[in-house]
Amino acid sequence: SSKCGQEPSGRAAAWMVGNHKDSPHLWKTPKLQPAAMTQKSKSTTSLSLTNMGWIVAVRSTPFSSVTSPQMNLQAMLTMRHVGPFRERAQELLQLLSETSDTLERWLKVQMMWCSLESVFTGGDIAKQMPLEAKKFGKIDKDWAKIMAKAYETQIVTEGAANEILRASLPVMYSELEKCQKSLEGYLEQKRNKFPRFYFVSNPGLLIILSQGSDPLSMNEHYEKVFDAITFVDHNKKDKTLIEKIHGDGGQGHEVIPFSSAVRAVGNIEDWLCELLKKMQLTMKDITRNAAGELNNLTTDISQLRNFVDSYISQFALLGVQMLWTNDMQVALEQMKTKKNSMKDCN
């Protein structure tokens, strides 16, 4: 330590400038070791490197290891005895400040890359957006090189001081933003064609669209776009034909066969629109059949139990309401000649 008004001793001076031997917590920077990073497996596609990519683990340690020394250096620069070491302290502060800024940009690029990697490296979306997929493929290769270099470097300050890295990150972020905007426009087009997609979040919709070529995969997502459809039955021989609707309504499980099968081919939003139309037509057909059977019930009310049991609850209730409405209409018309007609009807 030093006395007031005197130059600090050699050991104290060494600590103040952050000598890596005397103050490792101040000088040493975190390493990007496998334990502090996460491996991300990438599938082999024509648009991405066939290797194991690295991503920086989002932890507080790298930032605290940079910001804490920054605060210490700032405090040192306000001390009266910092004169002989001011230049060195300012250099270290500048280095840590630039490292912190680079890390922030690095993680922003990584977050954007992670959100788009599964979209543009395979699946139906990449096929429908070839230009964006090609652009992302180039970024993906550059990203793999950057992370491989970071893993070789290990030291954060050295890795972040790479001028090529600093120059590449803003460009990569800008290009990824363009891909993101194109993807948002793509999702908006799909929602315009099938408005029920507005009920689904962007991540959920991306999953649905990426599996659009497989109609069976939609069974996991029907409840997101239809209130009363749990899953559907496909033809055993032809998986593109949808024959029945299953729904868990009330206390029981209900099954409704389509009047005519729905063919699930082409873009998923197109055949979902077709499924919606066929579902509405099927509801009309069932309602029409129920209304026809009501003519027999007006003469033999004992058959009401059979009518209710033969239809699912929605149409059974509708039939009973139609029957009651018809009886009330007849009773009202008979009021002119028969005063007790309403009482007799009840």
Side-chain angles (χ1 to χ4, degrees):
S1 62
S2 60
K3 296 180 180 180
C4 183
Q6 296 181 356
E7 291 292 332
S9 65
R11 185 171 180 80
W15 185 88
M16 289 176 66
V17 297
N19 185 281
H20 68 282
K21 293 182 180 179
D22 293 327
S23 182
H25 71 280
L26 180 66
W27 177 252
K28 284 188 177 180
T29 50
K31 294 184 177 182
L32 298 177
Q33 296 177 344
M37 304 183 73
T38 303
Q39 279 188 329
K40 183 176 180 65
S41 175
K42 297 174 62 180
S43 58
T44 305
T45 68
S46 60
L47 298 177
S48 63
L49 294 175
T50 310
N51 65 354
M52 297 295 289
W54 293 92
I55 62 173
V56 180
V58 183
R59 298 179 180 177
S60 60
T61 303
F63 287 102
S64 62
S65 299
V66 173
T67 56
S68 180
Q70 278 183 280
M71 296 175 63
N72 291 338
L73 285 169
Q74 289 172 351
M76 291 177 190
L77 288 172
T78 62
M79 295 180 180
R80 58 186 298 184
H81 304 297
V82 76
F85 320 105
R86 181 179 298 277
E87 184 177 350
R88 180 57 177 159
Q90 289 176 340
E91 290 177 359
L92 292 175
L93 183 60
Q94 179 67 20
L95 173 63
L96 293 177
S97 177
E98 292 176 353
T99 300
S100 179
D101 293 342
T102 302
L103 279 176
E104 288 184 9
R105 287 193 292 268
W106 200 335
L107 287 179
K108 285 183 179 179
V109 173
Q110 176 174 286
M111 290 177 63
M112 188 79 74
W113 176 82
C114 287
S115 65
L116 298 176
E117 192 264 349
S118 60
V119 176
F120 288 116
T121 56
D124 294 347
I125 297 179
K127 296 177 182 178
Q128 296 183 35
M129 303 180 68
L131 295 179
E132 287 76 10
K134 184 177 180 180
K135 182 185 296 184
F136 182 83
K138 182 180 181 303
I139 298 172
D140 189 48
K141 292 179 180 179
D142 294 339
W143 174 259
K145 293 177 182 178
I146 287 175
M147 297 311 297
K149 182 66 175 177
Y151 178 64
E152 293 175 1
T153 305
Q154 297 283 312
I155 306 299
V156 171
T157 50
E158 293 180 10
N162 188 326
E163 292 298 330
I164 297 178
L165 171 67
R166 292 180 178 179
S168 299
L169 288 177
V171 176
M172 293 176 67
Y173 188 78
S174 176
E175 293 299 311
L176 287 172
E177 273 192 324
K178 293 178 182 178
C179 292
Q180 179 69 35
K181 290 181 180 179
S182 297
L183 182 61
E184 290 174 356
Y186 170 82
L187 295 180
E188 187 65 22
Q189 290 178 359
K190 298 297 183 181
R191 287 184 168 118
N192 287 334
K193 290 184 178 180
F194 187 64
R196 286 174 178 262
F197 279 156
Y198 281 105
F199 299 135
V200 186
S201 64
N202 282 353
L205 183 54
L206 286 173
I207 294 174
I208 292 174
L209 296 176
S210 64
Q211 301 173 347
S213 58
D214 180 16
L216 294 176
S217 65
M218 186 60 194
N219 270 332
E220 301 176 6
H221 309 288
Y222 279 112
E223 290 182 308
K224 298 177 182 177
V225 292
F226 294 104
D227 188 41
I229 298 181
T230 306
F231 62 94
V232 300
D233 279 345
H234 292 255
N235 185 283
K236 294 182 179 180
K237 295 182 179 180
D238 187 355
K239 300 299 182 182
T240 63
L241 290 178
I242 301 175
E243 297 178 332
K244 296 179 182 179
I245 301 173
H246 289 258
D248 294 325
Q251 297 180 351
H253 183 82
E254 298 175 338
V255 182
I256 304 177
F258 279 104
S259 298
S260 59
V262 179
R263 184 167 291 279
V265 293
N267 294 333
I268 188 170
E269 69 275 10
D270 294 333
W271 64 259
L272 281 176
C273 285
E274 183 66 17
L275 183 143
L276 179 60
K277 292 178 182 178
K278 290 290 182 69
M279 180 175 64
Q280 293 169 344
L281 291 174
T282 298
M283 300 299 106
K284 291 180 180 179
D285 290 341
I286 296 176
T287 303
R288 189 180 299 109
N289 294 336
E293 291 189 23
L294 289 176
N295 294 329
N296 298 328
L297 294 181
T298 56
T299 57
D300 187 2
I301 197 65
S302 62
Q303 296 180 1
L304 180 60
R305 178 76 260 178
N306 293 333
F307 172 83
V308 172
D309 292 340
S310 62
Y311 286 92
I312 61 175
S313 56
Q314 179 182 357
F315 297 100
L317 177 60
L318 179 60
V320 172
Q321 291 173 338
M322 292 172 65
L323 181 62
W324 179 86
T325 303
N326 182 70
D327 291 344
M328 290 299 102
Q329 180 66 28
V330 173
L332 288 172
E333 292 175 353
Q334 293 177 351
M335 283 287 291
K336 297 179 181 179
T337 57
K338 189 177 180 181
K339 295 183 179 181
N340 295 328
S341 60
M342 290 294 294
K343 182 178 180 181
D344 295 340
C345 181
N346 290 331

